[in-house]
Amino acid sequence: MPQLVVIAGPDTGRVFPLTTDAVVGRLSTNPVCLSDPRTSRRHCEIRLHPSGAELFDLGSGNGTKLNGVMVQSAELRHADLIFVGDTTLRFDSEAANADLTRIVVRSQPELPSAVVGRLSAEAGSQILARPDLAATTDWLRTRLANLAVLYETTAAVSSIVDVDELLGRIVELVVRTVDADHGCAVLLDPDTKAMMPKAARSRAGGGELVVSRTVVDHVLQANVGVLIADAGADERFRDGASVMRYHLREVVCVPLKGRHETVGVLFLDTFGDGEQVAPRFTEDHLKLAAAVAHQAAIAIEETKYYRGLIQAERLAAVGQTIADLSHHIKNIMQGVRFGSDMVRTGLDADDKELLARGWKLVEKNQRRIDELILDMLSYSKDREPILEPADLRSLAADVVEVVLGRVGDSRVSLQVTGEAPPVPCDADAIHRALLNVVGNAVEAVADLPNPWVLVALAVRDNFAEVRVSDNGPGVPADKREEIFKPFVSTKGSRGTGLGLPSARKTLREHGGDLFLDPDTEHGAAFVFHLPLSVVKPGTQ
């Protein structure tokens, strides 16, 4: 089955099987959904057909590159690299052939004397450390001298993060190098210890490979690699259907032993038609297979530990999010409880003034709960803007009216100036984003003498600009890079920490942006940029 493997970017390590045409992008309904913010919501598409696959760019903002070259459409080949935003995906067209492999269980408990060579499981690392001492023939000396095979192994290990793809490359490399007819990598299930064939390759181009359970068990239990010179002379093989069918002659089986554990075995064989021919496998082949298997096992270990680390980081992020939300909700509920106590006391004492103050406090915190929920929904969900021409001046004036209604008799001077042409936007979403920022500005200046907030409209290049400035204390220098991150608030317990992140997300969904003007000397100025013409969602 074809698949996409993420080898660089926020989703490194993820594998997406391709069973049908698949759109790649940030949209949660995409078959290949990425979390990379620099990818478009519908960035590109993989279209499958009987003879292969094609790549099509879907009008993405940053374009789609194939093997480093910008393309609109192109044929895909095995191992092609696709670049979208900050993410690199590898296209793997090879069908998994582990299902062609059977583990054959025989009743004989011991391996007979057909084993003519043995090698400890630690030999792989020793051979890599001193290849000059390990070589005993010109064949091995030549290969270990230039390290061609090991270099290819290292290159595969360093560039492939998907275990199945890595094992397929390793088995293919070893089959080609040691002149084997078949090769297979078998992994151990970490929980049940069951054997799972993961990658098989055949020099003949197909067919079923039979892996002996007895040989594998011996290698794993004795923790040694073995070379069987004449499988046909082995009682275990001689009467077996596998030998009759495949004319099995020679076997090399070595443990996939990493730094800390043995994760499986690498199994290689040759077959013949019964005639007497010179053996193909020697102890040098056994040593080379052990060295390659050692490197592959280390990569498998590191991949497992890396995925465990990613999972731990995700769980930690979830825990931190829950802790932050709990903190905000606790603060809001304290206000609700305090207001409820005031209402109860006012009712008992028939104190209408106290009752009114308590109810006002309850209403205020109820609004904060509503705002928190809306901010959470806005920030957590991908949303396709409903684009219709909107009058920004009228929208800004409505926001000012809503804010003034909230603050009541506040002394804050709140004005709208400038003009801008109608812009294609989701008016409700932009209203919500602008309400967040203007509300923040009013709260920042409420306790100052002569407080003011100005909402100024203008046109800059191809963007309509809405600038919300105030004469408040401004944003501290150490917070300017943080305020657009979730749960970072300069308002202490009064803020949700999601208003600015959700507002920026809304603007970026429109192809625009929201940022803090770094050149403002006094107070703060937040700038909205909205494109004057329709921009595809996900572009920056």
Side-chain angles (χ1 to χ4, degrees), residues 139 171-184 201-205 209 249-252 266-271 280-281 285 289:
W139 180 89
V171 172
E172 181 179 346
L173 171 64
V174 176
V175 166
R176 169 166 48 86
T177 304
V178 305
D179 199 24
D181 291 317
H182 293 123
C184 179
R201 295 293 184 271
S202 171
R203 180 180 293 275
L209 166 63
R249 292 178 51 249
E250 301 171 280
V251 171
V252 164
L266 180 62
F267 186 94
L268 306 167
D269 71 24
T270 67
F271 60 89
R280 275 191 255 168
F281 289 167
H285 292 87

Side-chain angles (χ1 to χ4, degrees), residues 31-299:
V32 182
C33 176
L34 303 175
S35 58
D36 181 355
R38 294 197 67 244
T39 61
S40 297
R41 293 162 64 81
R42 290 172 54 86
H43 198 105
C44 62
E45 184 176 14
I46 309 296
R47 299 177 188 172
L48 304 181
H49 50 76
S51 60
E54 290 182 275
L55 172 67
F56 291 87
D57 181 78
L58 299 179
S60 60
N62 298 318
T64 301
K65 292 183 179 180
L66 180 64
N67 299 320
V69 178
M70 197 74 73
V71 297
Q72 292 297 320
S73 64
E75 287 284 338
L76 283 174
R77 296 176 299 175
H78 178 65
D80 275 347
L81 297 182
I82 304 169
F83 300 86
V84 293
D86 292 327
T87 296
T88 304
L89 304 107
R90 179 186 176 86
F91 175 73
D92 184 1
S93 64
E94 294 183 357
N97 55 6
D99 57 340
L100 297 177
T101 304
R102 295 185 290 114
I103 302 293
V104 180
V105 181
R106 303 296 183 186
S107 59
Q108 289 80 356
E110 296 182 357
L111 209 62
S113 58
V115 176
V116 297
R118 293 179 181 270
L119 201 63
S120 70
E122 287 73 20
S125 57
Q126 296 169 0
I127 292 169
L128 289 177
R130 292 300 304 273
D132 53 330
L133 298 181
T136 56
T137 66
D138 290 339
W139 180 89
L140 185 60
R141 186 174 298 108
T142 300
R143 281 158 174 77
L144 292 181
N146 59 31
L147 295 178
V149 176
L150 299 180
Y151 174 79
E152 288 188 62
T153 305
T154 302
V157 165
S158 62
S159 63
I160 301 175
V161 295
D162 178 62
V163 170
D164 290 351
E165 183 183 2
L166 170 64
L167 290 175
R169 183 74 65 84
I170 293 297
V171 172
E172 181 179 346
L173 171 64
V174 176
V175 166
R176 169 166 48 86
T177 304
V178 305
D179 199 24
D181 291 317
H182 293 123
C184 179
V186 180
L187 295 188
L188 291 175
D189 185 282
D191 299 320
T192 66
K193 301 302 179 184
M195 296 183 185
M196 305 178 297
K198 282 294 184 180
R201 295 293 184 271
S202 171
R203 180 180 293 275
E208 184 182 37
L209 166 63
V210 176
V211 176
S212 166
R213 176 65 180 263
T214 306
V215 174
V216 172
D217 280 346
H218 179 82
V219 168
L220 292 174
Q221 292 168 8
N223 206 24
V224 297
V226 299
L227 165 63
I228 300 177
D230 190 355
D234 187 327
E235 294 179 359
R236 181 182 59 80
F237 290 115
R238 187 166 51 211
D239 298 327
S242 59
V243 176
M244 299 300 295
R245 182 175 178 183
Y246 296 103
H247 307 289
L248 195 63
R249 292 178 51 249
E250 301 171 280
V251 171
V252 164
C253 186
V254 294
L256 287 163
K257 180 176 176 56
R259 294 188 182 95
H260 309 291
E261 59 182 329
T262 298
V263 298
V265 299
L266 180 62
F267 186 94
L268 306 167
D269 71 24
T270 67
F271 60 89
D273 56 8
E275 78 280 7
Q276 294 294 324
V277 295
R280 275 191 255 168
F281 289 167
T282 68
E283 289 201 27
D284 287 338
H285 292 87
L286 177 63
K287 292 178 180 179
L288 184 60
V292 172
H294 175 64
Q295 283 190 289
I298 289 176

Side-chain angles (χ1 to χ4, degrees), residues 200-427:
R201 295 293 184 271
S202 171
R203 180 180 293 275
E208 184 182 37
L209 166 63
V210 176
V211 176
S212 166
R213 176 65 180 263
T214 306
V215 174
V216 172
D217 280 346
H218 179 82
V219 168
L220 292 174
Q221 292 168 8
N223 206 24
V224 297
V226 299
L227 165 63
I228 300 177
D230 190 355
D234 187 327
E235 294 179 359
R236 181 182 59 80
F237 290 115
R238 187 166 51 211
D239 298 327
S242 59
V243 176
M244 299 300 295
R245 182 175 178 183
Y246 296 103
H247 307 289
L248 195 63
R249 292 178 51 249
E250 301 171 280
V251 171
V252 164
C253 186
V254 294
L256 287 163
K257 180 176 176 56
R259 294 188 182 95
H260 309 291
E261 59 182 329
T262 298
V263 298
V265 299
L266 180 62
F267 186 94
L268 306 167
D269 71 24
T270 67
F271 60 89
D273 56 8
E275 78 280 7
Q276 294 294 324
V277 295
R280 275 191 255 168
F281 289 167
T282 68
E283 289 201 27
D284 287 338
H285 292 87
L286 177 63
K287 292 178 180 179
L288 184 60
V292 172
H294 175 64
Q295 283 190 289
I298 289 176
I300 293 170
E301 280 185 338
E302 291 180 346
T303 298
K304 181 174 68 174
Y305 298 145
Y306 172 75
R307 288 180 175 173
L309 178 62
I310 293 296
Q311 180 67 10
E313 289 178 348
R314 287 175 177 170
L315 290 174
V318 170
Q320 184 63 47
T321 300
I322 292 174
D324 289 333
L325 276 174
S326 300
H327 174 72
H328 289 303
I329 294 171
K330 180 189 70 175
N331 288 332
I332 294 172
M333 292 309 299
Q334 284 177 345
V336 172
R337 283 194 295 269
F338 186 52
S340 299
D341 290 341
M342 292 174 65
V343 170
R344 188 180 301 108
T345 302
L347 287 172
D348 292 341
D350 196 21
D351 186 338
K352 293 184 179 180
E353 181 181 352
L354 183 61
L355 182 62
R357 287 168 51 200
W359 183 245
K360 185 176 181 180
L361 187 58
V362 170
E363 285 185 321
K364 176 181 177 182
N365 283 280
Q366 180 184 348
R367 186 175 70 247
R368 291 177 62 196
I369 292 175
D370 291 340
E371 291 174 350
L372 176 61
I373 293 172
L374 289 173
D375 285 341
M376 288 171 59
L377 290 174
S378 176
Y379 187 76
S380 62
K381 291 177 61 176
D382 281 332
R383 186 172 181 272
E384 288 281 1
I386 302 173
L387 303 180
E388 296 179 351
D391 184 343
L392 283 184
R393 171 106 188 175
S394 296
L395 191 149
D398 186 67
V399 167
V400 167
E401 184 178 348
V402 172
V403 173
L404 288 176
R406 286 183 180 179
V407 299
D409 298 330
S410 172
R411 300 174 296 105
V412 178
S413 171
L414 184 54
Q415 296 182 351
V416 179
T417 64
E419 297 289 342
V423 296
C425 69
D426 187 327

